[in-house]
Amino acid sequence: MSNAVLDIKDKPTPVQLVTLSFQHMFAMFGSTILVPQLVGLSPAIALLTSGIATLFFLLITKFQVPAYLGSSFAFIAPILLAAGGLNKDGTSVNPGHAMIGAMAVGITYGIVSLIIWKSGYKWIMKILPPIVVGPVIMVIGLGLSGTAVNMAMNVDGKYSFLHFSAALVTLFTAIIFTIFFKGILSTMPILIGLIVGYIYSMIIGIVDYSPIAKADLFALPDFLIPGVHYDFDITTKLLLTMVPIVIVTISEHIGHQLVLGKVVNRDYIKEPGLHRSLLGDGIGTFISALIGGPPKTTYGENIGVLAITRVYSVYVIAGAAVVAILLSFFGKAMAVIATIPTAVLGGVSILLFGIIAASGLRMLVDNHIDFGNSRNLVIASVILVIGIGGAKFVISESLSIEGMALAAIIGVVLNAILPGKKEADIPVPYNQNNNS
């Protein structure tokens, strides 16, 4: 793309800065707050850490990469597993465990970025070719499909048509804005779906307003600090639950950098370098986990906003980060988010998790993966069944590898040992809206 309205280092006017920053904030808002809602963490912390992580990302990439970092959907199942699930009130049973695992993920990013800095990036794509990453991305979406449907139609384990109707209104609103609308509105269907679903839920009377009345106008987010709110206890099980997911998220990161580079007409793999952008992602994730937020990833929604507006200025991205940080301290706003019915969250989850699964399939198609080749068929089949089936490799009573993590590891191993392996190139970017 060319003919930028504002290029990377161009300074917007004050009016442009405010309006365009809010635009980017709204584009990422729905997805970023959805992840903590699903895993029992604080939406306020998710917003706060998305802003902080983005500012660190911009600093580490020398203010050359206009990317926004939001909550990663790839870690929903691992967070739930590491934290021991949810309490009846929807809060996480042991969120500290998940935070320790997320810190380990951030450190892993740092190690990988250091290796890439010293040895180049092509080796990593030999380990993570599309035939491995595509099916694992499908596992992420399909593995969560039961959760989305249950949220959409059940209340306390029982079917509710009233709640399911709210989920369907939310779902079809998001679909309509994805398919039939153009411009800025097409980049924020999740946010619009949540708003319309919430209004419908108010009309049919399934919204509990009590958290709003109890909340203060301004309030500190619910921080989770190691050594203060939980014991910093690193276990092998935690590492094996969370860290293998970087097999997917690193490949996603590379795809986003390629897409973003095409939008702004720059080669971000070479300058400022994949090692810097990956390190920015890792430090953002580490800092987020250090204070209680979910792991981070660059957001396709914001890349879409860049493509539509042709405003590439890093000042605007930084402005969106500051807006998110400030909003996280508005207690009343966060309380409104807490009153979103589970059915409404289920409605947007059906679409989002489906898009993630379809993105894995698209990655295979875009890279012309030949399933007439028995090698490709075997790798994809094993990853899908192990990941979706919830297979578990028990090492001891307290140590096991299961589900998505096990599928990712086995996929890498099969790709390495099976005959007929070809030289792997960087995969074709598969979906700008995949926040895995």
Side-chain angles (χ1 to χ4, degrees), residues 94 116 169 187 228 248 270 303 305 338 390:
N94 195 341
I116 291 173
V169 168
T187 67
V228 177
V248 179
K270 293 183 178 179
I303 297 175
V305 172

Short mmCIF file of all heavy atoms in Angstrom, two decimals, residues 94 116 169 187 228 248 270 303 305 338 390:
data_model
loop_
_atom_site.label_atom_id
_atom_site.label_comp_id
_atom_site.label_asym_id
_atom_site.label_seq_id
_atom_site.Cartn_x
_atom_site.Cartn_y
_atom_site.Cartn_z
N ASN A 94 -7.36 -20.52 40.61
CA ASN A 94 -6.00 -20.21 41.04
C ASN A 94 -5.28 -19.42 39.96
O ASN A 94 -4.42 -19.95 39.24
CB ASN A 94 -5.23 -21.50 41.36
CG ASN A 94 -3.96 -21.25 42.15
OD1 ASN A 94 -3.45 -20.12 42.18
ND2 ASN A 94 -3.44 -22.28 42.79
N ILE A 116 17.11 -15.84 17.27
CA ILE A 116 16.87 -15.28 15.93
C ILE A 116 17.84 -14.13 15.65
O ILE A 116 18.36 -13.99 14.54
CB ILE A 116 15.40 -14.79 15.82
CG1 ILE A 116 14.45 -15.99 15.83
CG2 ILE A 116 15.20 -13.96 14.54
CD1 ILE A 116 12.99 -15.61 15.88
N VAL A 169 -28.84 -13.18 18.92
CA VAL A 169 -28.88 -11.77 18.51
C VAL A 169 -27.46 -11.22 18.44
O VAL A 169 -27.08 -10.52 17.49
CB VAL A 169 -29.74 -10.94 19.49
CG1 VAL A 169 -29.53 -9.44 19.26
CG2 VAL A 169 -31.21 -11.30 19.34
N THR A 187 -14.32 -3.41 11.16
CA THR A 187 -13.16 -3.85 11.94
C THR A 187 -13.50 -4.09 13.41
O THR A 187 -12.66 -4.55 14.17
CB THR A 187 -12.02 -2.80 11.87
OG1 THR A 187 -12.44 -1.60 12.55
CG2 THR A 187 -11.65 -2.49 10.44
N VAL A 228 2.68 -11.51 46.68
CA VAL A 228 1.70 -10.72 47.44
C VAL A 228 0.33 -11.41 47.41
O VAL A 228 -0.27 -11.67 48.45
CB VAL A 228 1.57 -9.29 46.88
CG1 VAL A 228 0.49 -8.50 47.63
CG2 VAL A 228 2.91 -8.57 46.95
N VAL A 248 2.47 -21.97 18.21
CA VAL A 248 1.45 -21.32 17.38
C VAL A 248 1.62 -19.82 17.37
O VAL A 248 1.59 -19.18 16.30
CB VAL A 248 0.04 -21.68 17.90
CG1 VAL A 248 -1.02 -20.98 17.05
CG2 VAL A 248 -0.16 -23.18 17.87
N LYS A 270 13.06 -7.72 8.44
CA LYS A 270 14.46 -7.29 8.38
C LYS A 270 14.74 -6.05 9.23
O LYS A 270 15.80 -5.92 9.83
CB LYS A 270 14.86 -7.03 6.93
CG LYS A 270 14.89 -8.31 6.07
CD LYS A 270 15.35 -8.01 4.65
CE LYS A 270 15.42 -9.29 3.82
NZ LYS A 270 15.84 -9.03 2.42
N ILE A 303 -4.63 -3.85 12.64
CA ILE A 303 -4.00 -3.84 11.32
C ILE A 303 -5.05 -3.48 10.27
O ILE A 303 -4.79 -2.73 9.33
CB ILE A 303 -3.36 -5.21 11.00
CG1 ILE A 303 -2.23 -5.51 11.99
CG2 ILE A 303 -2.82 -5.23 9.57
CD1 ILE A 303 -1.63 -6.90 11.83
N VAL A 305 -7.66 -1.56 10.76
CA VAL A 305 -7.89 -0.11 10.86
C VAL A 305 -6.82 0.66 10.10
O VAL A 305 -7.10 1.64 9.39
CB VAL A 305 -7.93 0.33 12.34
CG1 VAL A 305 -7.98 1.86 12.44
CG2 VAL A 305 -9.14 -0.27 13.04
N ALA A 338 -18.69 -6.09 33.59
CA ALA A 338 -18.93 -7.27 34.43
C ALA A 338 -20.38 -7.74 34.38
O ALA A 338 -20.67 -8.90 34.70
CB ALA A 338 -18.55 -6.96 35.87
N GLY A 390 -8.48 -34.19 23.56
CA GLY A 390 -8.00 -33.99 24.93
C GLY A 390 -7.07 -35.09 25.41
O GLY A 390 -7.07 -35.44 26.59
#
